[in-house]
Amino acid sequence: MKQFVVREHEIEPVPGLPGQLPAGERILWQGRPSTRLVARHSLKNIYLAAYFVVLALWAIAAGLSDGQPVGGILFAVAVLTAIGALLIGLVELFAWGVERTTLYTITTERLVMRFGVALSMTLNLPYRQINAVSMAERGKRGGTIAVALLPGHKLSWLVQWPHVRGWRFSEPQPALICLEDAAGVAEILARAVVAYRNSPAGAGVARPVAPVAASPDYLPGGHAAAAE
């Protein structure tokens, strides 16, 4: 949808936004994903580390079983450790890049997501096109907020990744991923959507087929964000 995505921008008149705010529109919140949470929950660095630990243990067990010299076993383990450390380092670097290049903005009229490590893009989601808001917990206070769009509004899952709900390919849902205080942000967003729908600007907007404060089934382990 052309009205959603701006593929490149060189100048941001307002950080995180492709242009100046229209008269009467206010920024309610701005924030970024957490590098730590992105690496752990979106990029699964713990599983990657566990995989190489298993490989190292397997190499030790196989070497001892085959009667290989200790030096050869240690060399194989060292090689696996080096490869694992390199890959995990690249994952951490990418997670850091996601945080540095991402800025989420909640205004009184829309949600704006600027992201892209290699190619910067801006996703503009007016509240009149949002069907539901929900959250999945990531750690003690962290979480990911998913935004379901009204029928007829679709985006590319691949273009949005990793700022998208996982495993929902047919109906991609943009997501504010790995936030440190996700519950507070979800409440701000849900309240903003409700306030817009109750304002003169939201008059005549198609009613949603699901509540703004969505049920937990939008994201496994999630819970509804208070809307009013």
Side-chain angles (χ1 to χ4, degrees):
M1 303 289 292
K2 292 183 178 180
Q3 68 268 32
F4 282 159
V5 177
V6 178
R7 292 199 172 275
E8 293 186 60
H9 60 272
E10 298 179 355
I11 300 175
E12 290 180 332
V14 179
L17 300 176
Q20 295 288 349
L21 287 174
E25 184 176 2
R26 296 180 294 107
I27 293 178
L28 302 177
W29 175 86
Q30 282 190 314
R32 305 174 186 273
S34 160
T35 296
R36 175 181 59 84
L37 294 178
V38 170
R40 180 172 182 177
H41 296 288
S42 293
L43 303 179
K44 311 298 184 184
N45 63 346
I46 292 180
Y47 294 103
L48 182 61
Y51 173 74
F52 278 95
V53 169
V54 171
L55 286 183
L57 294 175
W58 180 267
I60 294 174
L64 293 175
S65 176
D66 294 340
Q68 295 181 8
V70 175
I73 296 175
L74 292 178
F75 177 78
V77 172
V79 170
L80 287 173
T81 301
I83 295 175
L86 176 61
L87 291 178
I88 292 173
L90 292 175
V91 166
E92 294 286 346
L93 180 62
F94 182 77
W96 176 82
V98 169
E99 176 181 348
R100 296 298 299 174
T101 58
T102 300
L103 187 58
Y104 303 132
T105 303
I106 298 174
T107 78
T108 52
E109 298 186 14
R110 55 182 164 154
L111 168 64
V112 183
M113 302 167 60
R114 188 254 282 155
F115 56 87
V117 175
L119 178 62
S120 184
M121 305 179 69
T122 300
L123 187 65
N124 188 56
L125 298 172
Y127 292 150
R128 65 177 179 274
Q129 295 165 345
I130 291 180
N131 183 39
V133 175
S134 59
M135 191 191 88
E137 294 180 349
R138 299 285 184 261
K140 293 183 179 179
R141 297 184 58 191
T144 289
I145 301 169
V147 177
L149 304 179
L150 286 167
H153 301 290
K154 289 188 177 182
L155 295 167
S156 168
W157 191 96
L158 186 60
V159 169
Q160 292 174 237
W161 188 88
H163 309 273
V164 63
R165 177 187 174 185
W167 311 109
R168 185 59 66 94
F169 302 110
S170 60
E171 296 181 0
Q173 296 181 4
L176 284 65
I177 64 169
C178 302
L179 301 177
E180 292 282 4
D181 183 20
V185 178
E187 183 172 356
I188 292 172
L189 178 57
R191 288 182 181 275
V193 176
V194 170
Y196 175 82
R197 288 178 178 164
N198 293 333
S199 70
V205 175
R207 294 297 91 185
V209 297
V212 174
S215 59
D217 62 351
Y218 271 82
L219 286 171
H223 60 271
E228 51 187 352

